[in-house]
Amino acid sequence: MNNDFRIGVDAGGTFTDFVLAEKTGDIHLFKAPSTPEDGTLAIANGLQQIANKFNRPIEDIIQACDLCINGTTVALNALIQMTGVKVGLLCTKGHEDSIEIRLGHKEEGHRYDASYPPAPQIATRDRRFPIRGRILADGTEHEPLNEQDILDAIEVLKQQDVQAVAISFVWSIRNTQHEQRAKELIEQHMPGVFVCCGSEVYPQIKEYTRTSTTLVNAYLSPVMASYVHKIDDYFKALGAEQPVRYFQSNGGLAVGNIMRERAVNAINSGPASAPQAGLYIASAFGIDNIITVDMGGTSFDITMAKSGRTSLNRDIDFLRNRIGVPMIHVETLGAGGGSIGHVNNFGMLEVGPQSAGATPGPASYGKGGELPTVTDANLVLGYLEPDAVLGGCVTLDKDKALQAVQKHIADPLKIDLAHAAFGISAIVNQNMANGIRRITIEKGYDPRDFALICAGGAAGMHIVDLAEEMGIGTILIPKIASCLCAFGQIISDIKYNYLATQMMIIAPDSELQSLNATLHELESLGVQKLLEDGFAEDDIIIERTMEMRYVGQVHECNVLIPNGKLDADSVQTILEAFHHRHKELYTYDERDNKVELVNIEVAVIGKISKPKLPELAKQQGDISQAQVGSREMIMDQEYEWIDTPIYNGEEFGAGALIAGPALIQEPTTTIVIKKGWQAELHETGTYKLTKAA
């Protein structure tokens, strides 16, 4: 069977998106309502749509795929809803409460709020067990491991029906023997219980971060394993030639066996693929600084890439859990099409974070929802066509949208319907703009230096407002915007991250033998794994980064470093990069101060072939032939109804130029072009929006 296809499946909170790429360059989009209770139901629905489209049994299509790729919110949802498994923790005696003390840390905005509740604990106090035995910072054994403590803990864990055990001992990264022996005893006396060690999950300095990351991994891995097992079996039954690849939070793919053991790497599985897709789309325009914004039914996800490199987060608080492993920096807001508008106790309009989700959904879905959402507001404002079929499966009811906005917003605030609907849109736009500021300005980047990439079915109706708010002059909206994350999955590479702690002063005259040996060891581990996966050496690339700080500082800066054996010249290059990044983040550098290396990370990447983007035929004749009508819309605070031309985007050819005000309807995306802006369709199927000359 020829490998004619590649399929990406992105399971979101409201819809599950499908992208099927053909070798010819044709790309097909499909959507199905998400089924959180059983992800295979949504997948079966989407695959049936694909089978109907090609008039072929779905088994034939799956067997003709070189890769089937899945991005999932299973781990994320389990963490949000606190529905992971019951976890026990074995830790060094005296450190039972470090996970609760949290380094004395409170989240931003709550530092001085005495009423702010403590973070919920994955392992409650009665499931945290002190184990005697001590490894020192140099890796020597100060006190032998007390195996009786472990055996006693096992008896209690059995009585509590614990399903997973996390092990995190002090300085285990210097000497893993105690953790490994504890793991052996758990596996021996508690067969079937998932167990993981801090030295395996997060082998870097920082006890609290390591323990928290290990707990999150233990909490989620059995849930993820069940999901992976079900998905793997489903695709095997359809005759898939290759194992399903799962999208990781670090921006790469991994097979199911990896995801079963390291569910912490799947927390941002879905939105983490957006920057890869955005960079691929933007490359046709010579752009490598991008901000992607993905507005779906439930959430609004923002990612960033600078100079062609995605932004990675490390050592962050995610849903009040400290996570150390590398994750694509995704800023997530409760600002999707299903976000609910409401009047708060102070008589002010708010939007989100509550969402109507897929069920019952916005009022206009006609599935029982009665509260007004962003989608309902867009329908009232004229951006969405009444009775339109959304996502291929939901017919919009404008009357229900009008009633919901009138009853819950306009009447309580004593304003007219148009003001109420525009207010919902304006507030959600401000919420989204604030999210963009957090991922750019607060990280030392000027958003005006970036292009804005539109993703998600709802973003096209808000994208120009966001660009104006942030001072961004270029917007790229691909025809595949509504399924951009699924597209990002099918163009992503296999990626494994390896971490280690290497504390030393880094200077041109430093002794580098040990550092070079550690880098080589980490790289060899990844290369060997990819060779076993069938990659040729020429298809493997390596990226190295270092976490460094000025001596006396607490926080580190992450810096990309050159490959190969490090010497005095390459160290000087590394130091210059560190000084530059420190100044970028904090507005100053200390070139006279010594620089300390803390952690190193190696990403080993197996490059896979990329599907081609389509090549559109050139525009023939005037764009008026693509106009399918007009509709009155409100686009600004003048609150004037403007008769706006509506175009069928499928009728445009490459080079088509559309001046605002206008609305472009694509099969799964609606684009609102305000007055003063214009859109030009590129041959790759991407609209480039800029200010009109």
Side-chain angles (χ1 to χ4, degrees), residues 274-284 287-290 292 305 308-310:
Q276 279 90 336
L279 286 169
Y280 196 61
I281 295 295
S283 64
I287 295 172
D288 62 2
N289 286 353
I290 64 163
T292 67
R309 289 184 52 80
T310 55

Side-chain angles (χ1 to χ4, degrees), residues 248-371:
Q248 302 178 95
S249 302
N250 65 6
L253 305 175
V255 293
N257 288 339
I258 300 294
M259 302 305 280
R260 290 188 184 101
E261 299 290 322
R262 295 290 181 270
V264 70
N265 292 336
I267 289 174
N268 269 341
S269 172
S273 60
Q276 279 90 336
L279 286 169
Y280 196 61
I281 295 295
S283 64
F285 300 87
I287 295 172
D288 62 2
N289 286 353
I290 64 163
I291 300 166
T292 67
V293 292
D294 186 345
M295 187 178 187
T298 305
S299 63
F300 181 76
D301 299 316
I302 314 161
T303 66
M304 186 200 75
K306 176 77 164 62
S307 301
R309 289 184 52 80
T310 55
S311 177
L312 284 171
N313 255 343
R314 299 165 181 83
D315 198 15
I316 62 165
D317 287 310
F318 191 90
L319 297 172
R320 307 195 72 187
N321 293 281
R322 182 65 59 88
I323 296 175
V325 295
M327 301 168 60
I328 296 290
H329 187 180
V330 181
E331 187 75 23
T332 299
L333 313 176
S339 294
I340 296 171
H342 61 280
V343 178
N344 65 21
N345 293 334
F346 299 98
M348 299 179 66
L349 177 60
E350 291 183 351
V351 180
Q354 299 85 4
S355 173
T359 304
S364 55
Y365 279 17
K367 295 165 63 178
E370 297 182 353
L371 300 177

Side-chain angles (χ1 to χ4, degrees), residues 479-515:
K479 285 175 172 282
I480 59 173
S482 69
C483 297
L484 193 70
C485 286
F487 178 74
Q489 292 164 15
I490 67 173
I491 63 168
S492 294
D493 300 312
I494 310 299
K495 184 176 182 181
Y496 299 116
N497 289 86
Y498 295 89
L499 313 174
T501 290
Q502 186 91 19
M503 298 194 69
M504 59 180 287
I505 299 299
I506 188 83
D509 59 352
S510 296
E511 171 54 56
L512 302 173
Q513 183 176 351
S514 176
L515 175 58

Side-chain angles (χ1 to χ4, degrees), residues 85-310:
V85 301
K86 186 181 285 189
V87 177
L89 171 66
L90 303 187
C91 56
T92 301
K93 181 175 174 60
H95 292 254
E96 304 94 291
D97 296 320
S98 65
I99 194 68
E100 202 153 357
I101 294 170
R102 306 175 81 228
L103 305 178
H105 170 72
K106 277 191 174 182
E107 284 80 7
E108 196 65 37
H110 301 282
R111 186 168 297 170
Y112 305 107
D113 182 0
S115 64
Y116 190 60
Q121 293 299 307
I122 287 174
T124 54
R125 188 61 179 82
D126 61 322
R127 299 201 303 270
R128 303 199 293 263
F129 298 91
I131 307 299
R132 285 172 289 181
R134 189 64 179 262
I135 300 295
L136 298 181
D138 61 2
T140 59
E141 183 182 68
H142 176 69
E143 179 185 355
L145 180 66
N146 190 310
E147 295 190 6
Q148 188 58 49
D149 286 351
I150 299 171
L151 295 173
D152 291 343
I154 287 172
E155 291 307 311
V156 180
L157 291 169
K158 284 180 178 179
Q159 294 170 12
Q160 295 183 336
D161 293 324
V162 163
Q163 297 165 271
V165 178
I167 303 170
S168 181
F169 295 155
V170 172
W171 289 112
S172 59
I173 56 170
R174 294 297 195 193
N175 184 337
T176 65
Q177 289 182 359
H178 285 189
E179 281 196 351
Q180 289 302 316
R181 179 54 183 158
K183 183 177 182 179
E184 289 173 5
L185 290 171
I186 295 289
E187 291 174 338
Q188 177 184 344
H189 294 278
M190 300 180 71
V193 168
F194 178 82
V195 56
C196 58
C197 300
S199 57
E200 298 169 337
V201 177
Y202 183 68
Q204 287 190 339
I205 196 171
K206 296 178 183 177
E207 179 212 353
Y208 166 62
T209 300
R210 186 166 62 256
T211 304
S212 178
T213 305
T214 308
L215 276 168
V216 171
N217 189 67
Y219 186 63
L220 300 178
S221 286
V223 177
M224 192 67 189
S226 176
Y227 175 82
V228 167
H229 180 74
K230 189 174 291 186
I231 299 297
D232 281 354
D233 285 352
Y234 181 78
F235 277 90
K236 283 179 186 175
L238 293 175
E241 302 258 333
Q242 294 282 339
V244 176
R245 306 283 182 167
Y246 295 87
F247 203 83
Q248 302 178 95
S249 302
N250 65 6
L253 305 175
V255 293
N257 288 339
I258 300 294
M259 302 305 280
R260 290 188 184 101
E261 299 290 322
R262 295 290 181 270
V264 70
N265 292 336
I267 289 174
N268 269 341
S269 172
S273 60
Q276 279 90 336
L279 286 169
Y280 196 61
I281 295 295
S283 64
F285 300 87
I287 295 172
D288 62 2
N289 286 353
I290 64 163
I291 300 166
T292 67
V293 292
D294 186 345
M295 187 178 187
T298 305
S299 63
F300 181 76
D301 299 316
I302 314 161
T303 66
M304 186 200 75
K306 176 77 164 62
S307 301
R309 289 184 52 80
T310 55

